[in-house]
Amino acid sequence: MSQHRVIVVGGGLAGLAAAARVAEAGLPVDLFSLVPVKRSHSVCAQGGINACNEVARQQGYSEYEHFDETIYGGDFLADQHPVLEMANMAPRIIDLLDRMGVPFNRTSEGQRDLRLFGGSLFKRTHFAGATTGQQLLYALDEQVRRGESEGKITKYEFWEFLWPVQHDGRCVGIVAQDMRTMQIRAFRADAVVMATGGCGLVFGKSTNSIICTGAAAARCYQAGVWYANPEMIQVHPTAIPGADKLRLMSESARGEGGRVWVPRKKGDSRPPHDIPEPERWYFLEEKYPAYGNIVPRDIATREIFDVCVNQGMGVDGKNQVYLDLSHMDADYLTRKLGGILEIYEKFVGEDPRHVPMKIFPAVHYSMGGLWTQYVKGSYAPAAPLPKHKSGARPPLGAEPGQGMQPGAPTNMMTNMPGLYAFGEVNFAYHGANRLGANALLSCIFDGVFCGQSVVNFVRDGAPGKAPAAGLPAGPYDQVVQGESDKVARLLSSVSKGAADPATNPYIIGMELGEEMTAACTVVRTGPRLEQCLRKIADFRQRYAAAVLADDAAWSNQALGYARAVGDMIALAEAIAKGALTRCESRGAHYRTDFPERDDARFMKTTVARCDAAGGSSLTLEPIDASLIAPTARTYGKKDDAHGKKDAPKAAMAGVS
Amino acid sequence: MTSPTDNAPHAPRRAATPGRSVIFRILRADGPGGAQRWEEFKVPIPAGANVISCLQWIAANPVTTSGQRTTPVAWDSGCLEEVCGACTMVINGKVRQSCSCLIDEYAPGEGDVITLEPMSKFPVVRDLWVDRSRMFHTLQRIKAWVPIDGTYDLGPGPAERPADQETRYVLSTCMTCGCCLEACPQYKLERDPENFDTAFVGAAALSQARLFNAHKTGRDLKPDRLEALMGPGGVNDCGNAQNCVQVCPKHIPLTESIAAIGRAVTIHAFARFFRG
């Protein structure tokens, strides 16, 4: 039995995949999660997972085109080598999930079925109904349960990550708190993998789960880990507005044939089915004849926002547009999209098989995240190639090791040696905008491909000579003390007097979300971002005087939330400052005062470093774009002439 | 074409009064085994409110109807779109997820009352938060996984007919929420983990056994699963009340699963008898 151990923080797809891979290599894993891992936020992913497949391949698609689409979709902000390796490995990841028993939808012959998704003209998205994330999460959860029953993996569920422990310039463990008993203690580890997802709660209401505060990432950032491209926040075009959250309506609704429209006549109050076809404005199909409703998310979101907010053309004069599936066969819809149709039915009370859904954009995903490094693979063209012509022969095959060097210990390691970031919490793959159905892929790719890097680091790197098990207790005790002091400070604030909204952590968190949504989402301007930063400074002051409503020493959820608010404020500041610093428009980041992309100045990674006061200092670091040369990202947009167009052009057909 | 109301999945609703307040009666406890008490909160209801948004409002304004300042109510939640299973509780006497419980439906009038209680078949952690670790323990015991050779690149899995995929998919949407167990007369509260393996496992686990028995590789562990389900606490403890299938939020055919496992256990027992 090895005396080494690895800690994985987060039990979503990335964390479970990492835990399974590391445990399989013979290293014991301690897996920490705020919730039973089966309830992690990956469960919310709906549409599917992208990979080149044999049907698409015979139509001219390739792993290389998937790579090219991802780079173009991300508006040339991602370092290109890791993306190449991910696209190349994607078909093998689908095979692995298939072996684990994921019930992927099947064709009549029993092959894995495919659907169309944003940013591609080929069907290359594998899916399990419209709850693909749930099904993938469960498959990995089952494999980890097996590892648990074999004694290779130990789960710490309802434990909250508080801070990384460092010694001798590397990460040697974590301090965490049991959110039932409230015990705070240190755990030793020879490597720590952060797989803690996104930060939707910074924006108050989003499509994210209640646990996606970004606090774990923010704590690493405040402990010295760099945070890259914080300003790159994806706003998903189609969500159902709600009082507690904004519920996602998957891009697969459009991939399967859903059409987005508003009445051509402003203020038209007729029910949707009384509005004849010529009097409906299918604005995405009109403006983007090639991609139509499946343009990438940032583009669809801006168009919907423009139609509703700038032109006042929203349905019933409100901020909402129709997402219409009612022209399609109801049984087909149930088979392909049942999961999301049920969500709409349950929360809105109307059946989208027969009535167009009313939707509006919502904060959905963070492309930015903890800064990570990698070792380049073997592919090195003499000069970057021009954009790949869709369906053309790829310049290289898909053998492993061309994008990233397999097993290199620093793959997806942060600047803190021994501390890794996998999945949504890193910044590595999606540039300035993530393509639909690439998130599940990047999570599992990190876990499986970079999991091997963790194993190699533990065996061959610094921990090989000095295992964490043998280190002095001092550094651990010190962090435990620091965290216990923070808790004591928060609990001592509990007052039985009258509540004051100014110091109520729930109110501060809500106001922070409203401010971030107003200033830092679809449309941004310099002056508004400066105002936002001033408000964040106010929030910080109010937070310093926060008063809790509960000092219980058992299962104190008010404490957990209040603590996270402070971390969300730190992250919000980096997001707003990143957005202010990036004086251009690229992908999800759109500045009305700088509407063009500026490659000369900003085809660079924003890197935020946290200072002692909790503020960020930013630098722009060069990216490696040595594989594909940047081109304008237009998706074939036609100039807006309100002109009528023929029936929408079907994208290239695949199976079924 | 049909109008929205023709296709509404719910019974026609009583029109909800805008700007109203609703009374929440909540059964609270400070910790495991502690005394339970009722507290009432008057909550203003904005459009689209659900039980979660009301509990969030209470967390920010923890004052009872009698003006008493109290602590925020503890409860378990996650996705808020009825796919993670976390926020299950007993609402107006019926077990369900609280996120999909819309106030307009449950309390359309001014002063209407909604009662919230923790599930009764699991130990309370605090207030509405219960400990369902027994369910995950049971999944280990029945080996609810496909025994693959590892996470390396070993080619595709077995091919599958669409009809089989559709059967497995529905079974695989089980979110381990516990509704079926709360509603089951045979499934009892069990605080002592020592007894987990002899008390009735309930519908969720039986259905998961069926799911993995239906997979070509998963089938290899079928004898182990059936062994675990044929003794005390196994499938024969099912009293056939059929409450489980009525409360399952994912419409999983739980009674079919119980019948399938019942048959498989019988065949397995015979085979074992004749093998000697």
Side-chain angles (χ1 to χ4, degrees):
Chain A
M1 187 78 165
S2 163
Q3 58 176 330
H4 291 114
R5 296 190 82 79
V6 170
I7 281 177
V8 176
V9 183
L13 283 179
L16 294 177
R21 171 53 66 94
V22 170
E24 184 176 299
L27 288 171
V29 173
D30 295 313
L31 176 58
F32 289 78
S33 172
L34 277 172
V35 294
V37 295
K38 195 176 177 177
R39 310 200 197 284
S40 301
H41 178 62
S42 303
V43 85
C44 288
Q46 298 171 342
I49 174 165
N50 293 331
C52 182
N53 55 82
E54 284 318 305
V55 176
R57 193 188 303 284
Q58 288 168 39
Q59 294 172 342
Y61 195 66
S62 58
E63 286 86 349
Y64 186 83
E65 185 162 348
H66 182 192
F67 159 61
D68 183 90
E69 285 168 352
T70 305
I71 295 293
Y72 182 70
D75 219 348
F76 299 92
L77 189 61
D79 289 298
Q80 297 181 351
H81 284 86
V83 182
L84 175 66
E85 193 65 29
M86 175 177 79
N88 280 350
M89 190 169 178
R92 299 193 290 276
I93 286 173
I94 302 295
D95 280 348
L96 170 62
L97 295 165
D98 194 20
R99 283 170 48 228
M100 288 179 181
V102 172
F104 284 118
N105 275 51
R106 300 284 165 167
T107 65
S108 55
E109 198 190 321
Q111 309 286 340
R112 294 176 302 223
D113 203 357
L114 301 161
R115 68 165 45 129
L116 203 55
F117 237 77
S120 185
L121 296 174
F122 290 88
K123 285 190 175 179
R124 46 92 160 112
T125 303
H126 303 70
F127 61 101
T131 63
T132 312
Q134 177 197 45
Q135 294 304 311
L136 265 49
L137 182 75
Y138 289 3
L140 286 159
D141 171 63
E142 288 147 14
Q143 294 303 320
V144 164
R145 183 164 297 110
R146 180 186 176 199
E148 196 185 6
S149 75
E150 291 167 357
K152 297 171 177 167
I153 297 171
T154 309
K155 279 185 194 155
Y156 293 85
E157 290 170 332
F158 295 113
W159 281 76
E160 181 167 0
F161 166 86
L162 298 183
W163 209 259
V165 179
Q166 294 180 76
H167 176 68
D168 219 6
R170 66 182 166 103
C171 179
V172 293
I174 67 168
V175 166
Q177 182 170 29
D178 182 336
M179 294 312 289
R180 290 157 306 179
T181 66
M182 308 311 283
Q183 180 197 15
I184 294 175
R185 61 163 281 208
F187 295 83
R188 293 167 182 249
D190 297 287
V192 173
V193 178
M194 299 302 295
T196 51
C199 57
L201 271 274
V202 170
F203 296 83
K205 290 194 280 184
S206 72
T207 66
N208 287 190
S209 293
I210 204 87
I211 47 177
C212 302
T213 59
R219 288 167 193 159
C220 292
Y221 160 66
Q222 292 167 95
V225 179
W226 305 339
Y227 198 94
N229 294 334
E231 69 276 19
M232 292 303 176
I233 297 289
Q234 178 165 79
V235 181
H236 194 290
T238 61
I240 324 166
D244 53 339
K245 84 172 286 194
L246 311 170
R247 294 176 177 85
L248 178 66
M249 265 306 113
S250 169
E251 188 167 306
S252 56
R254 284 170 288 137
E256 294 289 358
R259 303 176 73 186
V260 173
W261 63 279
V262 291
R264 279 196 187 273
K265 200 175 95 204
K266 199 170 180 166
D268 191 334
S269 60
R270 289 174 292 175
H273 286 304
D274 292 350
I275 300 177
E277 202 62 20
E279 294 175 40
R280 300 174 176 195
W281 185 24
Y282 295 99
F283 52 93
L284 291 175
E285 297 171 21
E286 197 169 282
K287 290 180 181 174
Y288 301 91
Y291 288 85
N293 293 293
I294 54 156
V295 285
R297 291 173 178 175
D298 57 322
I299 293 176
T301 291
R302 274 194 294 278
E303 297 291 356
I304 293 171
F305 192 86
D306 180 60
V307 162
C308 293
V309 178
N310 300 336
Q311 304 189 38
M313 297 279 288
V315 174
D316 300 332
K318 296 181 186 159
N319 281 341
Q320 53 187 12
V321 301
Y322 288 126
L323 169 58
D324 194 351
L325 288 161
S326 62
H327 56 287
M328 299 179 67
D329 177 67
D331 288 338
Y332 176 87
L333 292 174
T334 301
R335 226 169 31 249
K336 296 293 179 77
L337 299 170
I340 57 165
L341 303 181
E342 251 181 47
I343 291 178
Y344 193 85
E345 272 187 284
K346 283 196 170 154
F347 288 94
V348 182
E350 293 180 350
D351 184 350
R353 295 169 194 84
H354 303 287
V355 183
M357 295 181 272
K358 291 176 196 161
I359 54 90
F360 195 68
V363 167
H364 182 55
Y365 187 87
S366 173
M367 279 75 69
L370 297 176
W371 181 89
T372 46
Q373 51 193 315
Y374 61 91
V375 175
K376 253 195 262 192
S378 59
Y379 178 52
L385 270 54
K387 175 159 175 44
H388 185 66
K389 190 169 169 306
S390 181
R393 193 184 159 81
L396 75 164
E399 300 77 31
Q402 298 180 94
M404 273 199 280
Q405 194 186 99
T410 53
N411 286 337
M412 297 306 135
M413 190 192 273
T414 65
N415 58 303
M416 185 185 289
L419 187 78
Y420 292 77
F422 288 4
E424 186 176 349
V425 77
N426 76 26
F427 86 113
Y429 303 102
H430 307 295
N433 172 63
R434 175 173 68 74
L435 290 187
N438 263 352
L440 300 184
L441 176 62
S442 60
C443 285
I444 301 174
F445 171 75
D446 272 341
V448 173
F449 184 88
C450 305
Q452 194 60 48
S453 299
V454 175
V455 171
N456 293 347
F457 169 76
V458 170
R459 293 209 168 126
D460 307 332
K465 289 171 231 70
L471 298 178
Y476 298 96
D477 295 345
Q478 206 180 337
V479 179
V480 168
Q481 192 58 51
E483 292 303 312
S484 303
D485 291 349
K486 273 185 213 167
V487 166
R489 202 161 55 240
L490 282 168
L491 292 181
S492 70
S493 74
V494 173
S495 104
K496 304 286 178 194
D500 179 1
T503 55
N504 183 330
Y506 290 98
I507 306 288
I508 298 173
M510 192 186 74
E511 289 180 20
L512 171 72
E514 286 168 357
E515 174 63 13
M516 290 301 286
T517 300
C520 277
T521 51
V522 185
V523 174
R524 300 163 169 181
T525 69
R528 186 68 185 81
L529 288 165
E530 282 167 7
Q531 186 190 350
C532 177
L533 281 163
R534 286 192 296 274
K535 284 194 103 165
I536 290 171
D538 284 350
F539 291 133
R540 208 189 280 275
Q541 275 195 340
R542 284 168 58 185
Y543 179 74
V547 175
L548 270 62
D550 191 0
D551 60 0
W554 174 268
S555 305
N556 189 334
Q557 294 178 329
L559 169 73
Y561 180 78
R563 180 168 49 201
V565 169
D567 300 307
M568 287 194 276
I569 291 172
L571 215 47
E573 193 263 0
I575 292 169
K577 202 184 264 185
L580 180 63
T581 308
R582 189 175 283 281
C583 296
E584 63 157 356
S585 291
R586 181 186 297 272
H589 171 73
Y590 178 66
R591 288 274 299 262
T592 49
D593 41 357
F594 297 96
E596 300 300 322
R597 195 174 83 189
D598 182 350
D599 286 347
R601 289 172 65 206
F602 291 107
M603 203 168 110
K604 293 191 169 116
T605 304
T606 310
V607 176
R609 294 168 181 80
C610 190
D611 61 31
S616 60
S617 61
L618 303 186
T619 55
L620 291 169
E621 306 290 342
I623 66 166
D624 187 330
S626 58
L627 306 185
I628 302 175
T631 49
R633 179 174 177 266
T634 62
Y635 286 95
K637 181 173 184 174
K638 284 215 312 205
D639 275 337
D640 191 1
H642 271 257
K644 271 198 294 183
K645 206 178 66 64
D646 299 326
K649 187 171 138 193
M652 196 173 288
V655 286
S656 78
Chain B
M1 280 297 167
T2 44
S3 76
T5 45
D6 291 339
N7 293 289
H10 311 286
R13 293 175 191 166
R14 190 148 57 99
T17 311
R20 71 190 182 287
S21 293
V22 160
I23 305 295
F24 277 81
R25 263 192 103 223
I26 302 178
L27 186 59
R28 305 195 56 179
D30 293 336
Q36 288 182 307
R37 66 181 188 281
W38 290 96
E39 277 183 4
E40 285 189 2
F41 301 87
K42 187 176 177 186
V43 180
I45 305 298
N50 58 1
V51 167
I52 298 283
S53 70
C54 293
L55 286 169
Q56 289 174 334
W57 188 89
I58 292 171
N61 306 277
V63 180
T64 67
T65 44
S66 53
Q68 207 69 30
R69 212 166 147 69
T70 180
T71 51
V73 177
W75 86 101
D76 201 359
S77 66
C79 73
L80 313 189
E81 53 194 52
E82 207 186 75
V83 72
C84 83
C87 69
T88 312
M89 60 183 72
V90 177
I91 304 177
N92 288 357
K94 197 187 159 208
V95 67
R96 60 168 300 163
Q97 277 72 52
S98 52
C99 63
S100 57
C101 183
L102 307 180
I103 307 304
D104 281 359
E105 229 171 293
Y106 268 62
E110 171 68 35
D112 284 356
V113 177
I114 295 181
T115 62
L116 306 180
E117 299 167 75
M119 282 193 281
S120 64
K121 300 296 177 70
F122 302 98
V124 168
V125 176
R126 185 180 177 186
D127 296 338
L128 301 170
W129 179 8
V130 296
D131 176 3
R132 281 170 280 185
S133 53
R134 178 178 164 196
M135 292 190 76
F136 295 107
H137 168 88
T138 306
L139 291 178
Q140 265 197 58
R141 184 167 154 243
I142 62 161
K143 302 192 176 172
W145 55 76
V146 174
I148 58 167
D149 283 349
T151 62
Y152 294 87
D153 176 27
L154 301 169
E160 184 171 39
R161 289 165 39 224
D164 295 336
Q165 181 272 341
E166 281 171 28
T167 306
R168 281 205 310 121
Y169 173 72
V170 177
L171 301 180
S172 187
T173 57
C174 173
M175 32 186 204
T176 321
C177 68
C179 283
C180 59
L181 308 180
E182 180 68 19
C184 173
Q186 307 306 124
Y187 192 89
K188 302 282 184 341
L189 171 69
E190 190 53 76
R191 293 180 197 278
D192 185 356
E194 290 287 313
N195 298 332
F196 283 179
D197 294 350
T198 48
F200 181 45
V201 294
L206 292 166
S207 190
Q208 288 290 296
R210 177 184 173 209
L211 166 65
F212 291 96
N213 287 352
H215 186 267
K216 279 185 186 143
T217 316
R219 201 170 288 167
D220 291 352
L221 296 174
K222 186 174 172 182
D224 296 22
R225 293 188 194 106
L226 297 179
E227 285 288 329
L229 295 173
M230 63 192 291
V235 66
N236 291 329
D237 286 14
C238 167
N240 203 26
Q242 312 206 358
N243 292 358
C244 52
V245 74
Q246 289 174 36
V247 297
C248 176
K250 296 289 134 182
H251 313 296
I252 299 171
L254 293 168
T255 45
E256 283 175 31
S257 292
I258 295 170
I261 292 296
R263 281 192 302 274
V265 159
T266 307
I267 294 167
H268 179 72
F270 269 113
R272 200 170 67 161
F273 178 78
F274 286 113
R275 262 199 322 269

